[in-house]
Amino acid sequence: MTVPLIAYTDRWSVRAGGRIAVKVSCTSTTYRADLVRIRSADPNPAGPGMLMERMPAPFEGNYPGRLQEIHSGSHGVVSLANLALPQEWTLSVRVQPWLLDGRPQAILSWLRGNALALYATPTGAELRLGEVICRVASPMLQRRWYELRVICTGRTLRLLQIPLTTDWGVNGGGQACLSADVSNPSALFLAAAADDAGLVCRDHFNGRLEHPLLVQGPVDSETPLEPAALSPASIIAWWDFSLDIPTQKISDRGPHGLDGELVNLPTRAVRGAFWRGDVMRWSEAPDQYAAVHFHEDDLYDCGWDTDFVFEVPAGSPSGVYGVRLQSDSGQDIVPIFVLPPPDRTTAKVAVLFPTYTYQVYANFERDNFDEAFRARREKWGVYPHHPAEHKEFGLSTYNFHSDGSGVGFSSLRRPVLTFRVGQMAYVDLKGSGLRHFPADMHLALWLDKMGIAWDAITDHDLEREGMVLLSGYRCVLTGTHPEYQTPGTLNAMRDWLAEGGRLAYLGGNGFYWRVATSAAVPDTLELRRSEGGTRAWAAEPGEYYHAFDGGYGGLWRRQDRPPQRLVGVGFTAQGRFEGSHYRRTTESYAPDLAWIFAGVDGEKFGGFGFSGGGAAGFELDRADPLLGTPPNVRLLARSEDHQAHFGVTLEDLLVPTAYALQTNAPDPLIRSDMVYFETAKGGAVFSVGSITFCGSLPWNNCDNPVSRLLRNVVTRFMRD
């Protein structure tokens, strides 16, 4: 099912005076484009609504529609246009299939004349030369390594399947022959076959390839080939994947320099056929990580043409905008964050939108897409396109590839269905069920209602500009879930706080996972879900270090940078999308803290909201001195009465919960701590310890205790 109107931009944020390119696919003959300012993104008819204000824009007008295609599937491409094969040669490659489901999967192929192709099948490796086919009569098994070797002697081709993984009682080896003329190839394709023009690939391979090798003469021995042990004079081409691991380059160590490139971002820095287990960091022994893992559903860059460019006027107010596209078949609104012009701020307050987290979750196919979800989508007018229905736009790092491996990359160069106004995550019986961008717009709406001027900034900008991006603001507010951070973003926030910055951390489970970026692969985040943590999937043993930067993946807590050290609280418990209330502590009544609770009556507050029905819910953070909570932290409030489905986060469990001492008392780690502490040079941090906190801000038209409490904090933080 094709989405009739969909778009993406070449970046998610832009400074006033800058430009942003818009790429559109439309099945109608024409569409209209204009600009809106997004004030609220909540589709709940009982909530604040989806509020948008039309703005003048230089690009406004009608445009011709055209369908722009997507070609998924990672593969490698090498030009062989100037290569003349000798009369006799041997082609070898190490192969580890990860999905053998009967569909054709090309391990490698080349163009010109009788196109040669090597395929993986459950019943054995297969060699194709034009219409002639031969197959080894020995099964291939998933996740086992083989060397496949094609030996050419004149018109005879012999295929060898040599097992490299020991399976007791299973040989796995064999050979087959065919006779046909072989032409000089014009291009080599790895992990796919191509059409005659070499423009569109098909039959994508799911699994790992290592050391494609082309040598002179026949190599008949069934001893595995070791390229480094061969005479250099015998090598025609050797594509050594242990080189250039942080990039998408394929380097040839042969005499002809037949370098190539990887397409659609397969995974590098993965274990090869002879990984020994004595090295865990690929950069210390790249020869043991000389494999590339290809997937049929990888997608890096849709490669769509630009339809128009938005030249942002220099005087544009900072905020959240949307490029709105409308046709007779649908509508799409692509959000854009507009920052102030360079080298200036236009407000004392900035909202740091957690766009790295949006990107990591991009196109997350949740498992709750059922009849109840569809019914609410129809009733509320929720954003109509769900990732479960449109996998062509690429997967989320919360999903698995078709071969069962976890998705480790997320690119901006594609439409992101979860980054939309009115996108609903859950059927929330007590609220709106919003996550990420739509949920963070509750905070933006609240600021507007309070008359507080604010600038929009993002994680991507913080990575590019560093601490200087924050330095002009007296107060920075986070979104609801700043979960994913690079060393650059985390260091910038730490250094800004050390210089007197004032931060309101208004979410839960923040500053949790480490991700990596790369100048060689722009607009992409890499994630390795290593030991510990609440993980959608687990990285393979020995594959915990990022290919992009060589850094150790996983929890920042595992790298001695727990969130408590930065903001006083860190992830402690999680349940379903439901919320509860806070209860004030005795300490909160201290005279020097009275300003925080001015206008907040009673001990209990926050048992309401558009996110799970309560300000303290879903994912909760706690203070913990052993994890770095500063000694001067003031505990303002603590949540209570959480539902029975809440449980302690996995990194705090040493044994299964069934072995824990049973007690009727609530687990003390299932709580949200609201804290305040002051830092050097007049700085301060206020943390709420809950993802659902901001969902309570718009309740009762922003006239409620949660709203009053946050207004007190922000007003105080804005002071010079």
Side-chain angles (χ1 to χ4, degrees), residues 92-178:
S92 170
V93 62
R94 297 174 187 169
V95 181
Q96 187 187 46
W98 276 55
L99 178 65
L100 292 170
D101 57 1
R103 291 179 298 160
Q105 296 187 51
I107 294 166
L108 56 79
S109 62
W110 63 39
L111 297 182
R112 185 174 289 174
N114 285 340
L116 180 146
L118 191 58
Y119 275 74
T121 80
T123 54
E126 184 177 277
L127 179 63
R128 302 180 181 183
L129 194 66
E131 301 299 321
V132 184
I133 299 175
C134 69
R135 179 182 297 157
V136 174
S138 183
M140 299 185 79
L141 302 178
Q142 292 184 168
R143 303 201 185 192
R144 271 68 164 185
W145 278 102
Y146 303 87
E147 180 186 323
L148 300 183
R149 195 181 302 168
V150 180
I151 302 170
C152 176
T153 53
R155 295 188 72 252
T156 300
L157 291 176
R158 189 150 55 96
L159 171 62
L160 272 62
Q161 178 176 306
I162 304 170
L164 304 178
T165 303
T166 300
D167 276 304
W168 302 115
V170 178
N171 180 16
Q175 57 181 291
C177 294
L178 62 78

Side-chain angles (χ1 to χ4, degrees), residues 2 22 66 95 126 153-154 200 223 236 238 251 255 303 346 362 466 558 588 598 626 656 705 712 714:
T2 301
V22 184
R66 53 167 172 184
V95 181
E126 184 177 277
T153 53
V200 178
T223 302
I236 301 172
W238 169 20
S251 289
T346 56
R558 297 291 188 197
S588 73
L626 297 180
N712 293 338
V714 174

Side-chain angles (χ1 to χ4, degrees), residues 382-459:
V382 167
Y383 180 72
H385 306 303
H386 194 280
E389 302 169 298
H390 296 289
K391 297 183 181 181
E392 69 270 22
F393 298 126
L395 303 173
S396 162
T397 64
Y398 278 76
N399 296 132
F400 291 89
H401 290 291
S402 59
D403 68 4
S405 58
V407 179
F409 296 102
S410 182
S411 167
L412 297 184
R413 298 185 175 191
R414 56 178 176 149
V416 176
L417 304 180
T418 50
F419 182 48
R420 289 297 187 268
V421 173
Q423 174 62 255
M424 185 179 73
Y426 299 105
V427 177
D428 181 358
L429 299 180
K430 298 179 180 180
S432 305
L434 307 184
R435 295 290 313 277
H436 309 302
F437 170 69
D440 290 340
M441 290 306 294
H442 282 148
L443 173 61
L445 173 68
W446 176 83
L447 287 165
D448 290 343
K449 291 279 189 179
M450 295 297 104
I452 298 173
W454 58 281
D455 286 346
I457 57 177
T458 77
D459 288 343

Side-chain angles (χ1 to χ4, degrees), residues 522-607:
D523 305 320
T524 305
L525 294 177
E526 181 186 11
L527 173 63
R528 300 279 171 128
R529 297 190 184 276
S530 64
E531 56 177 338
T534 303
R535 297 173 290 174
W537 51 268
E540 294 292 311
E543 297 178 7
Y544 292 168
Y545 288 85
H546 295 126
F548 279 176
D549 64 359
Y552 184 73
L555 303 185
W556 279 111
R557 175 172 169 176
R558 297 291 188 197
Q559 299 174 57
D560 198 30
R561 297 190 69 171
Q564 284 90 343
R565 189 169 296 168
L566 182 73
V567 293
V569 296
F571 193 28
T572 186
Q574 181 175 9
R576 300 192 189 110
F577 200 72
E578 293 186 64
S580 186
H581 60 269
Y582 294 94
R583 183 182 293 276
R584 290 182 62 175
T585 64
T586 301
E587 185 177 13
S588 73
Y589 291 94
D592 63 330
L593 297 176
W595 60 272
I596 295 178
F597 289 93
V600 178
D601 298 326
E603 285 191 3
K604 291 169 51 176
F605 64 95

Side-chain angles (χ1 to χ4, degrees), residues 275-290:
W275 180 72
R276 297 189 295 270
D278 58 345
V279 173
M280 297 290 172
R281 188 170 190 159
W282 65 263
S283 58
E284 295 177 0
D287 58 304
Q288 295 188 42
Y289 292 85

Side-chain angles (χ1 to χ4, degrees), residues 253-455:
R253 296 181 63 173
H256 304 292
L258 301 172
D259 297 339
E261 63 178 355
L262 298 172
V263 178
N264 269 338
L265 201 55
T267 306
R268 306 191 77 163
V270 295
R271 298 170 300 165
F274 296 108
W275 180 72
R276 297 189 295 270
D278 58 345
V279 173
M280 297 290 172
R281 188 170 190 159
W282 65 263
S283 58
E284 295 177 0
D287 58 304
Q288 295 188 42
Y289 292 85
V292 176
H293 195 145
F294 298 89
H295 308 91
E296 65 184 348
D297 44 20
D298 280 329
L299 178 63
Y300 168 49
D301 191 343
C302 286
W304 288 359
D305 293 330
T306 296
D307 280 47
F308 58 88
V309 173
F310 177 20
E311 302 276 358
V312 184
S316 298
S318 180
V320 184
Y321 292 79
V323 173
R324 182 169 60 181
L325 311 169
Q326 296 172 301
S327 73
D328 57 9
S329 57
Q331 172 179 280
D332 193 25
I333 301 174
V334 186
I336 295 172
F337 300 100
V338 174
L339 281 64
D343 304 322
R344 57 174 294 201
T345 63
T346 56
K348 293 183 178 181
V349 175
V351 177
L352 178 58
F353 286 90
T355 49
Y356 277 174
T357 300
Y358 301 168
Q359 183 174 346
V360 166
Y361 279 86
N363 293 338
F364 181 15
E365 181 190 347
R366 298 180 186 274
D367 59 6
N368 64 345
F369 186 61
D370 54 16
E371 288 303 317
F373 190 102
R374 293 183 183 93
R376 176 159 287 189
R377 181 173 69 172
E378 181 69 22
K379 181 178 180 181
W380 282 9
V382 167
Y383 180 72
H385 306 303
H386 194 280
E389 302 169 298
H390 296 289
K391 297 183 181 181
E392 69 270 22
F393 298 126
L395 303 173
S396 162
T397 64
Y398 278 76
N399 296 132
F400 291 89
H401 290 291
S402 59
D403 68 4
S405 58
V407 179
F409 296 102
S410 182
S411 167
L412 297 184
R413 298 185 175 191
R414 56 178 176 149
V416 176
L417 304 180
T418 50
F419 182 48
R420 289 297 187 268
V421 173
Q423 174 62 255
M424 185 179 73
Y426 299 105
V427 177
D428 181 358
L429 299 180
K430 298 179 180 180
S432 305
L434 307 184
R435 295 290 313 277
H436 309 302
F437 170 69
D440 290 340
M441 290 306 294
H442 282 148
L443 173 61
L445 173 68
W446 176 83
L447 287 165
D448 290 343
K449 291 279 189 179
M450 295 297 104
I452 298 173
W454 58 281
D455 286 346

